[in-house]
Amino acid sequence: MIPNLSSHLIKIVFIRNNLFLKRYSTAKSYKLLFFGSDGIALSSLRKINDLRKKENHLIDRLDLVTTSTKHKTEIIKYAEAENINTIPWPLHSLRAGEYDLGLIVAFGHLIKEDLLNKFPLGMVNVHPSLLPRWRGAAPIIHTLLHGDQVTGVTLMKIKPDIFDVGEIISQIKVPVPKDIKLPELTEQLSEYGAEMLVDCIKTLPASLENAHPQSTEGVTYAKKIHKNISEVRWAEMSSVEVYNLYRAIYGLYPLTTTFKDKQMKLFDAFIHEPEKVDHSQKPVGSLEYSETTNAIRILCKDRRYIYFKSLRIVGKRQISALDFYNGYIRNVPVDKRECTVSRNQ
């Protein structure tokens, strides 16, 4: 008797489907606790939440730890809109094993060993630099401030009680255009970091097992910056250094100087190419109007100029370079047209 072929096919399909369902049902689903406070963190949280919604078998739980929960920051507003539970920092009642993995992006708080040990897979951090270069609080600012032509993003394991020294999970290099400023570079690196974090989650736990130690060579530190960094030191800085400072703190603080004993803020900076060296006897910090560029230019340490399209005397409104020339320096003797460092410096 010839066996019923169709019944055998049905059995084979049923067995295969059962094996698939078994593999699917036993696949690890991760509980993730995200630590983050600012815009960089929001980029990563969005990408992870999108992953959770698209592949809900991969992420079983996603919660947010953030500071300043009394004030609704952008990341808190996003979490509320997406029904992501928000937990205030510091943590007081986290149980060991309650979450599998901790994710840290732009959080700024040191992770202690007792907290780290509560995550079976540990904690990973997105850091916007090519570690070990620019460990510390302000890596993107220092990248621009020092004129780095290449930067990157590093995904690393967290070590307790110390910042930015953990093993590297993945790393990418990113070119730094010569005119890019802080907000644009921050946005670029944020997106790269978010994608790297998603790739790490997709390939758990292998992505963590393949991490390697950081190099002990080329270590630099990106210390936190303060408002007084905006004061231009004309006698100490070249035109490129002033321009790099402008790019590095753009959106945080405008460049500042002192002119005729009044504090002045400088906007819309650029370097005019090609720019010849000024061999005159004018002192560094000399200020004049350039008709060619329709900008105020100021002489720097290297005897080259940096240009500004608009300026503002503190207490007055921001005005164009031509209006500044007509209102403040047209009738001032040439040898008196000089910017200086504030007497409070």
Side-chain angles (χ1 to χ4, degrees):
M1 182 177 179
I2 299 175
N4 188 327
L5 184 59
S6 62
S7 66
H8 278 270
L9 289 173
I10 291 170
K11 287 179 181 178
I12 291 169
V13 171
F14 179 76
I15 290 169
R16 285 179 175 173
N17 284 345
N18 266 359
L19 288 173
F20 173 79
L21 289 172
K22 186 176 180 181
R23 285 198 302 270
Y24 189 91
S25 63
T26 56
K28 178 66 177 176
S29 183
Y30 295 98
K31 296 179 175 65
L32 308 177
L33 187 57
F34 187 97
F35 297 71
S37 297
D38 66 13
I40 297 179
L42 180 54
S43 296
S44 288
L45 184 61
R46 286 182 189 275
K47 285 285 177 71
I48 295 166
N49 190 43
D50 288 344
L51 177 66
R52 179 179 66 91
K53 289 188 285 188
K54 291 176 183 176
E55 302 184 36
N56 55 17
H57 66 281
L58 187 59
I59 300 175
D60 180 57
R61 181 179 177 184
L62 176 62
D63 294 333
L64 168 68
V65 175
T66 190
T67 54
S68 302
T69 52
K70 292 181 180 178
H71 305 285
K72 288 197 175 182
T73 60
E74 290 303 312
I75 199 167
I76 292 175
K77 291 177 183 177
Y78 174 78
E80 289 180 350
E82 293 293 319
N83 294 316
I84 297 172
N85 184 41
T86 301
I87 305 168
W89 176 267
L91 299 178
H92 297 293
S93 58
L94 190 68
R95 301 188 306 275
E98 186 175 350
Y99 298 90
D100 300 295
L101 181 67
L103 311 172
I104 300 180
V105 187
F107 190 58
H109 294 276
L110 202 61
I111 302 299
K112 300 292 185 179
E113 187 170 15
D114 62 337
L115 176 58
L116 181 60
N117 290 340
K118 291 180 179 179
F119 295 87
L121 293 178
M123 305 177 81
V124 301
N125 173 231
V126 175
H127 187 81
S129 82
L130 289 175
L131 289 171
R133 185 159 177 80
W134 300 133
R135 293 173 178 171
I140 306 177
I141 290 175
H142 283 268
T143 292
L144 294 170
L145 186 63
H146 289 80
D148 291 4
Q149 295 182 0
V150 177
T151 186
V153 182
T154 303
L155 190 65
M156 69 173 181
K157 289 184 175 180
I158 287 290
K159 279 193 174 182
D161 305 312
I162 190 168
F163 286 111
D164 305 334
V165 300
E167 294 179 311
I168 293 175
I169 300 165
S170 60
Q171 193 170 63
I172 62 166
K173 291 183 178 180
V174 179
V176 182
K178 66 182 182 68
D179 292 316
I180 197 168
K181 297 185 282 291
L182 180 63
E184 293 88 356
L185 186 57
T186 298
E187 183 177 358
Q188 283 187 18
L189 299 183
S190 299
E191 289 300 314
Y192 284 124
E195 291 169 5
M196 292 166 69
L197 198 53
V198 165
D199 287 342
C200 175
I201 294 168
K202 284 182 176 179
T203 54
L204 288 172
S207 54
L208 303 181
E209 295 167 356
N210 295 327
H212 61 275
Q214 290 186 35
S215 173
T216 57
E217 298 180 355
V219 177
T220 55
Y221 293 94
K223 64 181 180 179
K224 186 176 181 179
I225 62 108
H226 301 281
K227 187 176 182 179
N228 58 6
I229 194 177
S230 67
E231 181 84 11
V232 181
R233 304 180 308 280
W234 303 105
E236 301 172 26
M237 301 172 69
S238 70
S239 57
V240 170
E241 288 172 332
V242 177
Y243 185 58
N244 287 344
L245 174 60
Y246 166 77
R247 297 191 300 138
I249 62 174
Y250 184 89
L252 295 177
Y253 314 112
L255 295 186
T256 60
T257 189
T258 300
F259 178 68
K260 296 174 64 177
D261 293 325
K262 295 178 181 178
Q263 190 180 41
M264 180 168 68
K265 299 184 183 296
L266 310 168
F267 302 96
D268 306 313
F270 64 97
I271 292 178
H272 182 53
E273 300 290 353
E275 177 65 77
K276 296 179 180 179
V277 174
D278 188 320
H279 294 291
S280 71
Q281 298 302 308
K282 288 182 289 190
V284 169
S286 292
L287 176 151
E288 59 190 50
Y289 179 70
S290 166
E291 292 185 357
T292 303
T293 60
N294 193 25
I296 293 293
R297 66 180 192 177
I298 303 176
L299 191 64
C300 301
K301 177 187 176 182
D302 59 350
R303 309 299 301 178
R304 296 178 186 271
Y305 290 95
I306 185 166
Y307 294 73
F308 302 95
K309 291 184 178 180
S310 59
L311 308 90
R312 181 169 71 85
I313 297 293
V314 173
K316 305 289 185 180
R317 65 182 179 87
Q318 184 174 331
I319 57 177
S320 70
L322 181 58
D323 286 343
F324 183 85
Y325 168 72
N326 288 329
Y328 290 95
I329 64 175
R330 186 172 188 172
N331 298 319
V332 175
V334 173
D335 60 349
K336 300 293 184 181
R337 300 176 184 179
E338 183 182 350
C339 293
T340 59
V341 175
S342 169
R343 293 176 180 176
N344 295 324
Q345 288 294 103

